[in-house]
Amino acid sequence: MSTSPSLTPTLDPSEIGSKEYWSTTYSSDLGHYTEDPTPEHTGTEWFSEHNTSQRMISYLDKSIQEFGLNKQLLTKEGCRCEPSTFLDVGMGNGHLLQQLRDAGWHGMMVGVDYVEEAVELARIITEVEQLDVRKTSILGEDGEVDRLEIQKPEFYTWDIMTQEPGEWMPHGGFDVVLDKGTFDAISLSSATLPGKNKRIFEAYPSKVETLVKRDGILLVASCNWTADELKTWFEAGTYGNLICVGKVEGFRTFKFAGKEGGGVCCLCFRRQGARNG
């Protein structure tokens, strides 16, 4: 068994780690957007000052071949290859999935959040911006035309720490799972695991792992943890079933006391074989 993640320092609890804080935040955002449905009132986008969403999307665009992703419907050697599927855990206002769709990713997209107000906001924004079902087609190698309906992102209220996935979960999991600040927020929760002397966030890596398809990838963006700390939590926390295979570049970094840090760190993990611990 790998080294215990408990050897990594934890963060002091904060109100940002509470559901009440986010319910209040998104309730306010929802009210403002309902009154004035403009881009200026879509709510807070985590790490926007670091252009994090676009950097994550650019990383995915550059990694299509490496991870066997399909941006759009493909036909190859007589086989129909569906576009890669996406899950955004703790999606907030759903902005990241909307940007992915605008960047030409056509697969199924699902966003989940344990705050009902966030889910309602994301759904309303999707409707207002008219991200309706679109159709695309591609000419196959055999000369036949394949057609695909590009569905708008779907959003559901769901708590990753306490609930089982719903019908939105595809068999085997998602090709790509995204976490932009969710692990950060859970890391600031004071909640503990029932019957254990551990904070609830310590179980998050093993929970999110099950949402990732075998050989699928997980992108985790954080402003609270260094790259080494994220590796410890997600590799050791899943008994090696998640392996760090890449890093989203372009963020400003600094070194202090032999450690490297920065405003945002974003790592890519790939899900390996069956759980062994």
Side-chain angles (χ1 to χ4, degrees):
M1 182 179 296
S2 302
T3 303
S4 171
S6 62
L7 297 178
T8 297
T10 58
L11 304 174
D12 292 333
S14 162
E15 65 172 353
I16 296 178
S18 70
K19 185 175 182 179
E20 292 73 20
Y21 174 87
W22 292 110
S23 292
T24 300
T25 297
Y26 283 112
S27 179
S28 176
D29 290 342
L30 181 60
H32 291 152
Y33 190 75
T34 301
E35 294 176 3
D36 184 14
T38 59
E40 292 76 18
H41 292 99
T42 55
T44 301
E45 181 192 351
W46 273 51
F47 314 152
S48 60
E49 66 273 23
H50 301 282
N51 203 22
T52 305
S53 293
Q54 191 54 53
R55 294 189 193 282
M56 295 172 77
I57 294 171
S58 296
Y59 179 84
L60 290 168
D61 284 339
K62 295 174 183 177
S63 304
I64 289 175
Q65 185 172 358
E66 179 181 359
F67 300 126
L69 303 175
N70 294 324
K71 195 168 185 178
Q72 302 172 355
L73 175 67
L74 298 174
T75 57
K76 186 176 181 181
E77 298 177 355
C79 296
R80 175 185 170 108
C81 301
E82 298 292 334
S84 299
T85 57
F86 285 81
L87 173 68
D88 189 357
V89 181
M91 87 288 160
N93 61 10
H95 185 70
L96 179 54
L97 292 182
Q98 293 158 17
Q99 283 190 305
L100 277 164
R101 185 65 88 221
D102 291 340
W105 289 86
H106 290 174
M108 179 181 74
M109 294 187 180
V110 175
V112 292
D113 204 295
Y114 76 157
V115 176
E116 293 182 7
E117 293 85 352
V119 175
E120 185 175 355
L121 175 62
R123 287 174 175 170
I124 291 177
I125 291 174
T126 299
E127 293 298 330
V128 170
E129 296 189 0
Q130 298 182 335
L131 298 177
D132 295 325
V133 174
R134 292 174 284 173
K135 293 185 178 180
T136 187
S137 61
I138 185 171
L139 183 65
E141 295 177 343
D142 56 2
E144 296 294 326
V145 175
D146 281 326
R147 290 181 172 81
L148 171 75
E149 286 192 348
I150 307 173
Q151 303 289 337
K152 58 188 176 183
E154 298 180 355
F155 304 103
Y156 300 94
T157 304
W158 183 64
D159 187 342
I160 185 174
M161 302 309 301
T162 62
Q163 296 178 302
E164 293 296 321
E167 294 183 357
W168 45 262
M169 175 78 164
H171 178 72
F174 290 85
D175 295 305
V176 181
V177 176
L178 306 166
D179 175 330
K180 185 162 69 76
T182 299
F183 183 60
D184 277 5
I186 295 177
S187 299
L188 295 172
S189 171
S190 61
T192 57
L193 294 170
K196 297 183 179 180
N197 187 28
K198 289 186 177 181
R199 301 258 296 279
I200 194 169
F201 82 90
E202 297 186 54
Y204 177 84
S206 61
K207 293 279 189 179
V208 77
E209 173 211 338
T210 63
L211 305 173
V212 185
K213 193 176 185 178
R214 295 284 165 78
D215 292 323
I217 60 173
L218 165 71
L219 287 184
V220 182
S222 170
C223 66
N224 289 336
W225 302 101
T226 66
D228 287 341
E229 289 169 340
L230 283 179
K231 287 180 183 178
T232 300
W233 285 118
F234 284 86
E235 290 187 343
T238 60
Y239 302 102
N241 289 331
L242 287 177
I243 299 295
C244 184
V245 292
K247 181 179 182 180
V248 177
E249 302 291 350
F251 297 109
R252 296 181 61 183
T253 61
F254 60 85
K255 287 188 176 181
F256 179 76
K259 292 186 177 182
E260 184 177 282
V264 172
C265 172
C266 185
L267 299 183
C268 177
F269 297 88
R270 195 167 197 175
R271 188 181 180 191
Q272 306 298 303
R275 177 177 296 279
N276 55 27

